[in-house]
Amino acid sequence: MTDTAANPDANSAIKPATRPNANFTPRVFSGIQPSGGLTLGNYLGALKRFAEMQGEAYQTVYCMVDLHAITVWQNPADLRKNTRELCAGFIASGIDPEQSILINQSQVPEHAQLAWIFNCVARMGWMQRMTQFKDKAGKNTQNVSLGLFAYPALMAADILIYHATHVPVGEDQKQHLELTRDVAIKFNHDYGVDFFPITEPVIEGAATRVMSLRDGSKKMSKSDPSDMSRINLTDDADAIAQKIRKAKTDPDPLPETLDGLADRPEARNLVNIYAALADMTAEAVVAEYAGQQFGAFKPALADLAVARLSPISTEMARLMNDQAEIDRILSRGAERAREITAPILKKTYDIVGMVPPVV
Ligand code: AMP
Ligand code: TRP
């Protein structure tokens, strides 16, 4: 595709495309795994940002990556339920299925088809360096699925099958996006084309890495065995307030400036969460609460979190009562998505040298 780049508006997170992407229409893509439960980390690092990036100047495509989820075992009934629940979470977080294209990955077969090509572009050594694979496989490298190892090639395909130029994610996905760039560069180089864009990661905001409420050195995660370590988007007001009240902190008051939080990861995390929920900078939060104890800061944070998150959980519950509507949204999303992905796959096959069907 060599459409002329539309100029995104000045106050958006997307900077006008610089070379080498100047020939690509600005397009945003991101995905989340339907592996059960959404946390405050998913909301602040991803969903809230996805909603903010919707705009007139560029198209946004958001995906429930069900094919990624099965790289580790998923009970089929749970996978279906979690995919629909995630779709409800996207919409409740402000993603408008008319404005954005909202899909589940398996309904758009071109993702998996391009992933095969990328399996043949990406190198074993690149994959072996992926820290998410090393973390998830642990000592069990011989027994995890081949899909878990190849996971980043499918992620590169998710993005590049749309020629997406910008990908909003949390900090933990940075390495996968670097690999996506490497895949695009190698494909373009090997085939002597300028076909895939070199995607820009968009890792911005006050909470690109929300930490566990129990341990400031660990990421907040749906897989943490302790439910007190995270806020779930389905938690009610009492649970949210209680988890924040019990969050680990230290005995010192909040400092005058952010430098004073350098060695206080738990305190820093709560300040970041406050900032992201209030749409403030962390500096401004510290300036407002300087000298105050956590005894005063935590209730203010709890009130803010409840005010922001309760409408989301209420809306998710409402949407989950109308499964037929969710399924319709996903089918319609897939139809719109394939208008973009089918021509890009066709062109990719042509570049690679596959004989096309006779029409
Ligand atoms: P996952 O739940 O691993 O599929 O992640 C979906 C999205 O949420 C990705 O963009 C992640 O980077 C983001 N994310 C997950 N956990 C966190 C966290 N603790 N802080 C910030 N972003 C996160
Ligand atoms: N790997 C991402 C995660 O675990 C999910 C994902 C799959 C994704 N494909 C993507 C994110 C494409 C951004 C773009 O969070």
Side-chain angles (χ1 to χ4, degrees):
M1 278 218 316
T2 51
D3 318 9
T4 311
N7 196 7
D9 52 8
N11 60 5
S12 84
I14 298 187
K15 325 252 174 335
T18 47
R19 299 215 74 78
N21 286 339
N23 291 335
F24 293 91
T25 306
R27 186 175 285 147
V28 173
F29 180 92
S30 197
I32 298 187
Q33 296 192 59
S35 41
L38 281 168
T39 69
L40 180 66
N42 294 131
Y43 178 65
L44 295 177
L47 289 164
K48 182 169 184 286
R49 305 277 305 124
F50 297 176
E52 289 162 356
M53 289 181 91
Q54 295 177 117
E56 306 263 307
Y58 38 83
Q59 191 164 33
T60 41
V61 184
Y62 296 125
C63 184
M64 287 118 252
V65 291
D66 45 13
L67 297 172
H68 275 106
I70 60 162
T71 56
V72 298
W73 169 253
Q74 305 290 328
N75 172 292
D78 291 346
L79 179 60
R80 256 188 294 273
K81 175 176 165 285
N82 290 335
T83 304
R84 291 178 175 131
E85 189 172 277
L86 178 55
C87 183
F90 271 92
I91 298 170
S93 302
I95 289 140
D96 172 358
E98 292 299 319
Q99 194 170 20
S100 294
I101 296 179
L102 201 51
I103 50 167
N104 60 315
Q105 192 181 28
S106 57
Q107 282 198 50
V108 184
E110 289 80 11
H111 289 235
Q113 288 173 294
L114 184 62
W116 179 259
I117 307 238
F118 287 172
N119 280 341
C120 303
V121 173
R123 305 288 95 181
M124 291 291 284
W126 301 0
M127 298 300 193
Q128 273 155 352
R129 282 197 291 276
M130 294 294 113
T131 54
Q132 183 171 304
F133 174 74
K134 288 192 250 185
D135 290 348
K136 286 198 177 175
K139 293 194 176 60
N140 199 21
T141 50
Q142 296 307 298
N143 247 330
V144 293
S145 73
L146 181 56
L148 190 69
F149 188 66
Y151 178 114
L154 176 58
M155 177 160 163
D158 294 336
I159 296 165
L160 294 174
I161 196 66
Y162 294 90
H163 279 181
T165 53
H166 295 82
V167 180
V169 280
E171 181 71 40
D172 60 341
Q173 294 302 312
K174 197 170 172 194
Q175 196 185 31
H176 287 157
L177 292 182
E178 278 158 12
L179 187 131
T180 300
R181 292 163 68 95
D182 290 342
V183 167
I185 291 167
K186 183 162 164 56
F187 182 98
N188 288 346
H189 174 267
D190 290 355
Y191 291 101
V193 291
D194 181 16
F195 186 62
F196 287 116
I198 315 303
T199 303
E200 297 286 343
V202 182
I203 304 174
E204 286 173 359
T208 55
R209 191 171 168 79
V210 177
M211 308 310 281
S212 154
L213 298 179
R214 309 300 304 162
D215 176 352
S217 67
K218 275 189 2 205
K219 193 181 77 165
M220 182 181 286
S221 159
K222 54 193 160 202
S223 56
D224 193 309
S226 163
D227 193 56
M228 292 302 282
S229 72
R230 64 180 158 263
I231 291 172
N232 306 299
L233 286 196
T234 45
D235 283 345
D236 63 20
D238 287 347
I240 295 174
Q242 194 203 23
K243 286 174 178 180
I244 292 178
R245 213 169 41 243
K246 297 214 161 153
K248 188 174 165 203
T249 39
D250 55 45
D252 295 337
L254 282 154
E256 307 271 315
T257 65
L258 274 187
D259 296 345
L261 291 178
D263 301 320
R264 300 171 60 189
E266 285 86 8
R268 177 69 210 235
N269 188 39
L270 294 187
V271 167
N272 286 351
I273 292 173
Y274 190 107
L277 285 170
D279 290 316
M280 292 165 72
T281 61
E283 285 83 357
V285 175
V286 169
E288 190 173 323
Y289 286 92
Q292 299 208 34
Q293 296 290 341
F294 278 97
F297 182 71
K298 281 178 167 178
L301 176 58
D303 286 348
L304 175 63
V306 169
R308 290 284 189 274
L309 302 180
S310 291
I312 299 177
S313 62
T314 309
E315 179 65 1
M316 271 177 81
R318 192 189 68 78
L319 291 162
M320 282 301 282
N321 278 328
D322 192 354
Q323 188 182 302
E325 175 61 9
I326 289 187
D327 290 4
R328 267 194 301 275
I329 288 171
L330 292 176
S331 308
R332 173 77 189 117
E335 235 173 76
R336 290 168 68 200
R338 295 195 73 192
E339 286 170 17
I340 304 170
T341 58
I344 292 179
L345 184 76
K346 185 163 178 281
K347 183 76 178 98
T348 309
Y349 275 1
D350 181 47
I351 291 169
V352 171
M354 306 295 178
V355 175
V358 180
V359 278

